[in-house]
Amino acid sequence: MCGVAGIVSITAAAGAPSREALMRMLGALAHRGPDERGLYRDERAGLAHARLSIIDISSGQQPLADASGTTWIVFNGEIFNYVELREKLIRLGYRFRTRSDTEVIVNAYRAWGEDAFERMTGQWALAIWDSVARRLVLARDRTGICPLHFCEREGRLYFASEVKAIFAADAAIPRTFDPVGIDQTFTLWTVVPPQSVFQGIKELVPGHFRIYENGDVRDKAFWKPRYPQLSSSRDGQFAGSLDDAVEQVRSALEAATSLRMVRSDVNVGSYLSGGLDSSLIAAMGCHFAGERFQTFSLRFADAEYDETDFQRLVARVTGSEHHEVVVSRSDIAEIFPQVIYHTERPILRTAPAPLFLLSRLVRACGVKVVLSGEGADEMFAGYDLFREGKVRRFWGRQPASTRRARLLERLYPYLTRSPVRQQAMARQFFGRNLSEHAAPGFAHDTRWRTTSGIKRLFSSDICAESAKHDAVSNLIASLPPEFAQWSSLAQDEYLEIQTLLSGYLLSSQGDRMLMAHSVEGRFPFLDEDVVALANSLPPAYKLRVLDEKHVLKRVAEPIVPSEIIARKKQPFRAPDALCFVGRDTPAYIDDALSETAIREANVFDPDAVARLRSKCRTQAATGNGDLSNSDNMAMVGVLSTQLLHQQFIASRPGGRHALELTVDIDREHRVEGALS
């Protein structure tokens, strides 16, 4: 991974981009690319790159041009099939000066144009500038692993891996919250691209490219998830048996893991949570490493969240060199402002904070790249939400049945305050809207309803703006026409991918926490072939009655300890609100949640926030630490929003000015000489 940024004058009157502005953008992205930095500038465009050297360390510097010196690229990520694409391009007559995947991309674009993105396997956010045609192309990988934001203002387009770099480019760029983005976050857990939480800032939609040329803008999808249609048994449906599926998933996952191991000029390690997904990837990674293989795990001082025994079991069986970091509530509170600086959006859970500490451990151990099991739950139906949806639909077909409602008891076994512990309350909570069991979004309804409860804390201004938009209705309205022809499970998976996967898991918990310490994450479960295969499987192969990820458990049997396969699903969680209400909490919390700060940000009502804090403090003081799910999310959501306001709106951040560029493209000097 790296950091990319740029300024392009989309109207001639805007003039040449400023070198100083590009340098400020680079300064804001220094954590993403500490190894080298480069700059290209002509009379219409400026491209900047902060490099984390992974492939072709000696000659893969960016910005990079094609052989003619007219088409330039800055690129964040990895193209794992670049060796194969390179061979095809050589046969077409292209010649290469480097061994980098970056040069493969720019030549692939020259050879195949927009179709090049469909041929690329990997994770990327990139910008290609054709200085002759004056055409800018922005593109982002299929599932949104790599971030890319943009802002159009006064004839210029600003783009960057992170919002802070866009703000650093020009102090005149407005810095204010977008009520639509805030409303989405406090409904869906995240914004849905192209929406962001900042007015005027957009995020490129995963699987899309965007072209600026001659005053026109064109946005097009080159990929979208596909599922079999119920009306046609032959339309993309996997035709083999369950045993066939096990073998094909194993083969695809081995190929994806191997590719992410060998396509690197630095050592690759692996995260290890102790769950099925990370254990399977770690076991495969260890097999393909061929030498020293390092794994990294989080331990928690709170026993409720700790999975140490399972992590150590897998490390012992695989023979990895294992590293651990222990995380306490005070650790989370201490580093939370840094976490929000990197998420660049409000969050409703503290889970990114421990991952921030884990990536710091990875970097301290000299590792730049780690494998991760993210994506398995979305592709192979691993979440309780999918099981919950199946139970509620089954119940909804006979809403008077008490026996069907008893299936709720099999959900959420890992929660101290499980919503199914008290049967009467569970039936009331999960029994709402059962008549809508065939409607889009039915399985997600309980989550969205719970999250929306936080809006009771909104200020009157945000409430008024929020009332003009309905995040759920807008999301449902954007669903593709074929959505209605998919199975219920496919519909649930699609909505999870469109919302939580990219916007939260791959961003706030993934890219941002990894790159905070200059570490690249690689995700075998999000390999193009693995995703296509998973989406083609019959629902019963993934969710067999209520056994989640059934086919994946079968895949894991030969190489993952049986204790891991048999254990109940436990999603990654961390202590939440109680981190911020104890006696010795950091002073920044009182500052961020003061009445003055709340009024200045104008997202929440000061009295409502004060009541929430008082409630959390009382429960903490009395030893009743079992806060409700809603109160936990509300406390974290309010604090993270307030910190975001302090860091990005009130303080008007900028990049570091005194930045020494280790790579400076000669083209810049020629243009500046002509302009002087």
Side-chain angles (χ1 to χ4, degrees):
M1 299 287 204
C2 302
V4 300
I7 305 172
V8 175
S9 298
I10 51 182
T11 64
S18 159
R19 173 187 174 91
E20 290 72 22
L22 291 165
M23 291 178 66
R24 289 194 299 271
M25 297 179 87
L26 275 177
L29 297 175
H31 54 282
R32 298 187 69 93
D35 296 332
E36 292 179 313
R37 286 171 284 275
L39 194 69
Y40 164 84
R41 196 172 75 100
D42 64 26
E43 68 278 3
R44 292 290 291 271
L47 307 179
H49 187 262
R51 187 185 187 200
L52 180 65
S53 304
I54 303 294
I55 292 177
D56 190 12
I57 295 172
S58 63
S59 62
Q61 291 81 12
Q62 299 183 45
L64 182 146
D66 69 340
S68 70
T70 60
T71 302
W72 291 82
I73 183 173
V74 284
F75 158 59
N76 164 35
E78 310 290 353
I79 306 302
F80 297 119
N81 66 334
Y82 76 97
V83 174
E84 293 76 12
L85 292 176
R86 178 189 175 108
E87 292 302 318
K88 293 179 181 179
L89 290 164
I90 289 174
R91 289 195 292 271
L92 291 175
Y94 288 85
R95 296 292 178 261
F96 291 84
R97 308 182 307 277
T98 74
R99 296 183 297 106
S100 69
D101 52 348
T102 309
E103 191 176 12
V104 170
I105 299 171
V106 74
N107 282 330
Y109 176 74
R110 293 303 299 262
W112 301 310
E114 300 164 4
D115 294 339
F117 304 124
E118 297 180 25
R119 298 172 180 252
M120 290 159 43
T121 294
Q123 51 196 65
W124 68 85
L126 60 83
I128 297 174
W129 170 246
D130 185 328
S131 61
V132 176
R134 292 180 174 174
R135 178 193 305 120
L136 177 72
V137 182
L138 304 177
R140 192 177 181 201
D141 66 70
R142 295 171 175 84
T143 54
I145 296 172
C146 297
L148 189 59
H149 303 270
F150 61 93
C151 170
E152 298 174 20
R153 176 175 168 78
E154 296 183 350
R156 285 198 174 98
L157 174 77
Y158 301 82
F159 66 86
S161 297
E162 299 184 12
V163 175
K164 59 179 66 68
I166 294 176
F167 285 160
D170 186 348
I173 294 176
R175 293 156 172 79
T176 185
F177 284 136
D178 189 324
V180 175
I182 293 294
D183 183 68
Q184 282 189 358
T185 301
F186 286 94
T187 304
L188 310 173
W189 280 46
T190 179
V191 291
V192 178
Q195 184 65 49
S196 84
V197 296
F198 298 105
Q199 283 191 357
I201 304 291
K202 301 296 182 183
E203 185 174 359
L204 191 63
V205 179
H208 280 63
F209 60 83
R210 186 176 179 88
I211 297 178
Y212 292 82
E213 185 175 18
N214 298 325
D216 294 327
V217 182
R218 183 162 56 95
D219 196 293
K220 183 179 179 181
F222 65 88
W223 179 88
K224 59 182 179 179
R226 295 183 179 276
Y227 301 90
Q229 295 193 13
L230 296 175
S231 59
S232 174
S233 60
R234 297 181 181 180
D235 181 29
Q237 176 80 49
F238 183 83
S241 66
L242 177 58
D243 288 340
D244 295 332
V246 170
E247 290 307 311
Q248 291 200 31
V249 170
R250 177 181 292 119
S251 177
L253 199 53
E254 286 177 343
T257 305
S258 173
L259 199 60
R260 283 154 181 78
M261 293 291 298
V262 301
R263 298 288 156 85
S264 172
D265 292 337
V266 300
N267 290 335
V268 179
S270 185
Y271 278 173
L272 179 55
S273 71
L276 174 68
D277 312 331
S278 67
S279 298
L280 179 56
I281 294 302
M284 288 185 173
C286 192
H287 173 75
F288 292 116
E291 55 182 46
R292 176 189 181 198
F293 187 67
Q294 300 183 71
T295 51
F296 302 88
S297 293
L298 284 165
R299 297 176 57 194
F300 285 96
D302 292 73
E304 177 184 351
Y305 309 98
D306 193 57
E307 301 179 66
T308 300
D309 291 343
F310 296 106
Q311 296 161 356
R312 290 179 176 177
L313 171 62
V314 176
R316 185 167 63 251
V317 169
T318 60
S320 67
E321 181 180 318
H322 193 54
H323 308 274
E324 303 171 340
V325 59
V326 181
V327 180
S328 67
R329 295 179 186 179
S330 60
D331 292 329
I332 292 173
E334 180 182 350
I335 54 97
F336 200 63
Q338 298 175 64
V339 169
I340 300 307
Y341 177 75
H342 288 286
T343 64
E344 297 188 328
R345 62 189 65 190
I347 57 176
L348 306 181
R349 293 294 195 194
T350 63
L355 292 168
F356 177 91
L357 296 173
L358 186 60
S359 71
R360 186 169 72 183
L361 172 67
V362 171
R363 189 66 185 193
C365 291
V367 174
K368 284 185 175 182
V369 182
V370 289
L371 304 176
S372 171
E374 287 296 6
D377 287 317
E378 290 78 9
M379 304 307 162
F380 292 94
Y383 290 127
D384 258 312
L385 180 142
F386 301 133
R387 303 200 308 156
E388 176 192 313
K390 188 171 185 178
V391 169
R392 293 181 67 230
R393 287 189 178 99
F394 181 62
W395 182 17
R397 289 191 287 272
Q398 291 187 20
S401 171
T402 57
R403 294 183 62 184
R404 294 190 176 202
R406 290 291 303 273
L407 290 170
L408 294 171
E409 298 170 20
R410 298 176 62 178
L411 304 176
Y412 307 104
Y414 53 87
L415 290 178
T416 301
R417 286 177 61 98
S418 174
V420 301
R421 292 288 174 86
Q422 298 182 11
Q423 293 184 17
M425 291 181 63
R427 292 182 185 184
Q428 181 181 11
F429 179 77
F430 290 107
R432 298 177 188 175
N433 303 326
L434 287 182
S435 62
E436 302 294 321
H437 62 83
F442 174 75
H444 291 72
D445 174 68
T446 53
R447 179 202 285 166
W448 293 339
R449 192 188 330 133
T450 299
T451 308
S452 293
I454 305 173
K455 296 179 186 180
R456 70 187 187 278
L457 303 174
F458 277 178
S459 68
S460 58
D461 288 343
I462 292 293
C463 281
E465 288 297 321
S466 180
K468 300 176 184 177
H469 310 277
D470 188 312
V472 172
S473 296
N474 291 340
L475 176 63
I476 299 302
S478 71
L479 296 175
E482 60 269 26
F483 183 89
Q485 296 298 317
W486 297 337
S487 70
S488 296
L489 181 60
Q491 292 179 355
D492 296 344
E493 289 179 325
Y494 177 85
L495 282 169
E496 197 72 356
I497 291 168
Q498 294 301 108
T499 55
L500 214 64
L501 178 62
S502 174
Y504 178 72
L505 293 173
L506 294 177
S507 178
S508 295
Q509 286 190 192
D511 172 86
R512 301 312 185 89
M513 296 305 101
L514 287 157
M515 291 306 296
H517 298 291
S518 308
V519 177
E520 173 179 292
R522 296 184 174 183
F523 309 88
F525 283 111
L526 296 179
D527 178 87
E528 176 187 0
D529 292 337
V530 174
V531 170
L533 176 58
N535 288 353
S536 75
L537 296 177
Y541 287 10
K542 295 186 279 189
L543 187 58
R544 195 170 183 84
V545 188
L546 291 181
D547 182 30
E548 77 280 358
K549 291 187 291 198
H550 181 79
V551 67
L552 208 57
K553 292 176 180 177
R554 292 274 303 274
V555 169
E557 285 175 355
I559 59 174
V560 173
S562 59
E563 295 91 332
I564 303 296
I565 298 172
R567 68 177 296 210
K568 296 293 185 182
K569 165 70 177 176
Q570 179 173 326
F572 172 64
R573 299 180 303 127
D576 287 311
L578 293 180
C579 297
F580 309 112
V581 295
R583 289 184 177 180
D584 300 320
T585 51
Y588 77 80
I589 297 174
D590 286 338
D591 181 40
L593 299 182
S594 68
E595 181 178 352
T596 299
I598 295 288
R599 291 194 184 281
E600 182 181 354
N602 196 29
V603 176
F604 305 105
D605 177 77
D607 293 335
V609 173
R611 289 192 295 271
L612 173 66
R613 292 190 75 191
S614 178
K615 180 179 180 181
C616 294
R617 284 169 168 165
T618 298
Q619 289 186 287
T622 58
N624 180 17
D626 294 338
L627 294 171
S628 70
N629 187 40
S630 179
D631 287 342
N632 261 311
M633 290 195 299
M635 185 67 189
V636 176
V638 169
L639 180 58
S640 61
T641 304
Q642 288 299 116
L643 290 172
L644 196 68
H645 181 268
Q646 287 183 346
Q647 295 171 351
F648 287 86
I649 296 176
S651 66
R652 305 183 71 80
R656 288 190 287 271
H657 291 261
L659 186 68
E660 180 181 354
L661 299 179
T662 57
V663 181
D664 204 355
I665 304 303
D666 289 339
R667 170 68 171 162
E668 180 193 11
H669 296 296
R670 292 202 296 272
V671 171
E672 286 195 331
L675 294 176
S676 60

